């Protein structure tokens, strides 16, 4: 059997190109949002952008997006740029947008800007048109998100704020941020995922000791030896960044071998028949499926580069080794102690331990979330919280209802289609009460 392995040159694309911008693009024009709205969306990442765009097509325009960064997809691209990532794992057919409407899709957008693209990027578009796997440049994806936010008037409905509470009642939801509150008929939580912290026994818990940082923090410049802990795509970018800087890099992988695959979950879960595997099975079976298919993996394009670096001795891989302790060493070094007693001494260690879905705990009352082992109880048709029917979830939090694809952009689109339709229908049914909610919010 012949295995085709894409080459590393596909990982490179220009960043920071000038793209045409619709003249309507503008930020929110008031320092605070209105006190009342039909819908509040918490989080303006790719999932929040998809929900706002879908509601626009349903004729729901009275929305407020609250985001800690204050710009659609801002935090998403800040994290991508911190890693030096130039292409996305998601192919062209996976993108924020609206299913069932004649919208400009990501592949259409890229073809419209053919003159801006490199020859390699154009070849990837041809691959996508032929139905083959292709990689999407971050630059193209960001320009598309900007276009989507502008054409669906998302930018001007986005306000910066850190949400402190989401308080649902029988007929409304109040979202309290650090500087304002908004009361709406419905709320959609697009909270994404947060980094997973190291186990307490590594150094006693709390903030990492000197010489240790997490993946979403800048890696200090200097030092000849770097350790990267983790087995996913984030770890792969940290590894290649360290190698490009001329460092000797130690890679600590808890599993017996690293995993390379096109998507971070099995591609079958992106299709209706794959998602149907979750329908009608028990919770224990769903947990088993999530554990088996929601595992760390790396794009195939990294494989030749990392294997060559290991063969040359620039990359040292510690496979099947769990960490037992992380301690500061002499002269500013860090000691990473592994099972079996070996200690890896480096100048800096970066932890890429994965992420955990944000499901609404800490924002909503426990009886609204109904947390079961890190997953909320959701209506499997509409993704509304069972304990708070006017609040919906899109993104990783919907994983136990939708399957492993929930955390991916394509899963966002599936969830968005159901949520937007449910919200629009509820608003039509409750239309006599809408003005009353706004009047209450103004008091």
């Amino acid at each position: 059997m012949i295995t085709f392995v894409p080459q590393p040159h596909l990982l490179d694309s220009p960043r920071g190109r000038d793209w045409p911008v619709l003249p309507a693009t503008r930020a929110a024009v008031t320092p605070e949002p209105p006190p009342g709205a039909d819908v509040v969306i918490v989080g303006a990442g790719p999932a929040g952008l998809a929900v706002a765009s879908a509601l626009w097509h349903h004729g729901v325009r009275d929305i407020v997006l609250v985001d800690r960064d204050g710009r659609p997809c801002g935090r998403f691209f800040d994290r991508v740029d911190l890693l030096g990532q130039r292409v996305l794992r998601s192919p062209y057919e996976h993108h924020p947008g609206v299913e069932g409407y004649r919208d400009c899709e990501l592949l259409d957008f890229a073809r419209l800007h053919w003159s801006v693209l490199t020859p390699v990027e154009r070849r990837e578009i041809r691959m996508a048109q032929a139905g083959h796997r292709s990689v999407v440049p971050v630059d193209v994806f960001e320009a598309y998100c900007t276009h989507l936010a502008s054409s669906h008037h998302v930018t001007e409905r986005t306000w910066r704020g850190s949400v402190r509470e989401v308080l649902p009642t029988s007929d409304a939801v109040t979202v309290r941020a650090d500087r304002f509150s908004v009361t709406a008929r419905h709320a959609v939580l697009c909270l994404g995922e947060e980094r997973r912290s190291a186990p307490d026994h590594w150094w006693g818990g709390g903030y990492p000791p000197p010489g240790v940082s997490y993946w979403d923090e800048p890696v200090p410049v200097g030092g000849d030896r770097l350790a990267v802990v983790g087995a996913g795509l984030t770890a792969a970018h940290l590894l290649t960044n360290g190698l490009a800087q001329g460092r000797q890099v130690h890679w600590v992988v808890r599993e017996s071998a690293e995993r390379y695959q096109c998507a971070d979950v099995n591609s079958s879960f992106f299709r209706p028949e794959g998602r149907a595997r979750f329908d009608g099975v028990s919770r224990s079976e769903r947990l088993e499926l999530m554990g088996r298919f929601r595992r760390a993996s790396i794009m195939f394009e990294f494989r030749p580069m990392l294997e060559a670096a290991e063969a040359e001795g620039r990359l040292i891989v510690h496979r099947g080794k769990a960490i037992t302790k992380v301690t500061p060493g002499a002269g500013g070094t860090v000691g990473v102690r592994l099972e079996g007693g070996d200690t890896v001494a480096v100048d800096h260690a970066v932890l890429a331990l994965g992420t955990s879905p944000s499901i609404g705990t800490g924002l909503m009352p426990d009886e609204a979330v109904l947390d079961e082992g890190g997953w909320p109880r959701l209506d499997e048709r509409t993704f509304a919280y069972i304990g708070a029917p006017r609040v919906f979830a899109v993104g990783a939090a919907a994983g136990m209802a939708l399957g492993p694809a929930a955390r991916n952009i394509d899963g966002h689109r599936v969830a968005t289609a159901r949520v937007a339709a449910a919200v629009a229908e509820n608003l039509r049914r409750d239309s006599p009460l809408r003005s009353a909610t706004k009047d209450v919010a103004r008091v």
Side-chain angles (χ1 to χ4, degrees):
M1 182 178 70
I2 298 176
T3 301
F4 171 71
V5 179
Q7 292 303 303
H9 73 273
L10 293 179
L11 297 170
D12 295 324
S13 267
R15 191 76 175 96
R17 287 173 281 189
D18 289 329
W19 298 85
V21 178
L22 292 177
T25 300
R26 59 192 177 95
V29 295
T30 58
E32 295 181 0
D38 283 337
V39 184
V40 175
I41 301 171
V42 181
L49 177 59
V51 172
S53 301
L55 289 173
W56 186 90
H57 280 283
H58 278 281
V60 180
R61 312 290 168 82
D62 185 14
I63 65 173
V64 168
L65 284 89
V66 184
D67 183 80
R68 71 180 74 176
D69 184 78
R71 55 195 173 104
C73 299
R75 188 164 177 247
F76 175 86
F77 289 110
D78 285 346
R79 284 179 162 184
V80 163
D81 287 335
L82 184 64
L83 294 171
Q85 184 175 345
R86 297 299 186 89
V87 299
L88 295 181
R89 190 173 204 159
S90 297
Y92 272 99
E93 59 266 30
H94 296 176
H95 58 85
V98 188
E99 291 186 330
Y101 294 91
R102 296 185 62 84
D103 235 356
C104 176
E105 298 191 349
L106 180 58
L107 186 59
D108 303 323
F109 181 86
R111 292 173 61 203
L112 285 170
H113 299 90
W114 188 261
S115 63
V116 183
L117 306 179
T118 69
V120 171
E121 292 169 341
R122 293 174 181 175
R123 178 181 176 275
E124 289 299 291
I125 287 178
R126 294 189 182 100
M127 294 283 285
Q129 288 179 294
H132 299 295
R133 175 183 177 269
S134 59
V135 297
V136 179
V138 168
D139 219 43
V140 173
F141 188 74
E142 183 178 32
Y144 175 76
C145 288
T146 300
H147 168 81
L148 201 65
S150 178
S151 59
H152 295 81
H153 302 280
V154 177
T155 305
E156 62 203 61
R157 293 183 171 90
T158 303
W159 280 266
R160 183 171 187 170
S162 295
V163 173
R164 308 301 191 200
E165 290 182 303
V166 176
L167 304 174
T169 65
S170 60
D171 58 359
V173 183
T174 298
V175 174
R176 293 180 178 170
D178 47 357
R179 296 180 296 103
F180 53 78
S181 295
V182 182
T183 298
R185 302 296 301 162
H186 298 282
V188 184
L189 304 188
C190 303
L191 303 176
E193 303 178 67
E194 297 297 331
R195 72 186 185 196
R196 184 172 289 131
S197 299
D200 287 347
H201 71 266
W202 283 12
W203 58 74
Y207 197 76
V212 181
S213 63
Y214 286 101
W215 61 270
D216 56 352
E217 302 168 320
V219 178
V221 177
D224 296 328
R225 299 164 300 172
L226 177 71
V228 175
V229 182
L233 185 58
T234 296
H237 281 102
L238 293 167
L239 293 169
T240 54
N241 292 344
L243 292 168
Q245 294 162 1
R247 301 184 183 190
Q248 183 184 63
V249 181
H250 291 261
W251 186 11
V252 182
V253 184
R254 184 176 56 185
E255 302 289 340
S256 59
E258 57 272 36
R259 299 171 67 241
Y260 295 95
Q261 62 184 38
C262 295
D264 57 351
V265 298
N266 188 291
S267 60
S268 67
F269 286 101
F270 296 120
R271 298 189 289 270
E273 62 269 26
R275 295 193 293 269
R277 294 174 68 176
F278 260 55
D279 295 338
V281 301
S282 68
R283 184 174 181 80
S284 61
E285 290 175 296
R286 295 186 185 197
L287 285 169
E288 191 275 330
L289 286 170
M290 291 292 284
R292 192 189 337 156
F293 291 105
R294 194 179 182 270
R295 297 168 57 197
S297 63
I298 299 170
M299 290 172 64
F300 277 117
E301 285 80 1
F302 282 91
R303 187 171 183 173
M305 185 164 40
L306 295 179
E307 288 181 344
E310 184 178 9
E312 295 163 3
R314 297 183 295 120
L315 175 65
I316 301 170
V317 186
H318 306 271
R319 296 179 175 88
K321 299 288 187 179
I323 295 175
T324 61
K325 201 78 173 175
V326 177
T327 56
T333 62
V334 176
V336 180
R337 191 181 306 165
L338 308 176
E339 280 182 340
D342 292 338
T343 297
V344 178
V346 293
D347 299 296
H348 194 82
V350 188
L351 310 181
L353 306 178
T355 56
S356 299
S358 298
I359 64 173
T361 51
L363 295 179
M364 290 199 296
D366 291 344
E367 60 269 21
V369 178
L370 297 175
D371 183 359
E372 294 186 342
W375 300 99
R377 286 283 305 280
L378 302 177
D379 181 291
E380 297 188 6
R381 182 180 61 85
T382 65
F383 301 126
Y385 282 77
I386 298 294
R390 291 188 176 273
V391 182
F392 299 79
V394 173
M400 197 52 62
L402 182 59
R407 68 190 301 236
N408 298 82
I409 293 171
D410 186 61
H412 295 171
R413 297 184 72 189
V414 175
T416 289
R418 299 189 196 177
V419 168
V423 169
E425 176 58 30
N426 289 348
L427 287 172
R428 284 191 290 270
R429 187 178 63 244
D430 295 348
S431 57
L433 300 174
R434 291 165 62 186
S435 59
T437 299
K438 296 180 183 180
D439 290 341
V440 170
R442 292 188 180 96
V443 175

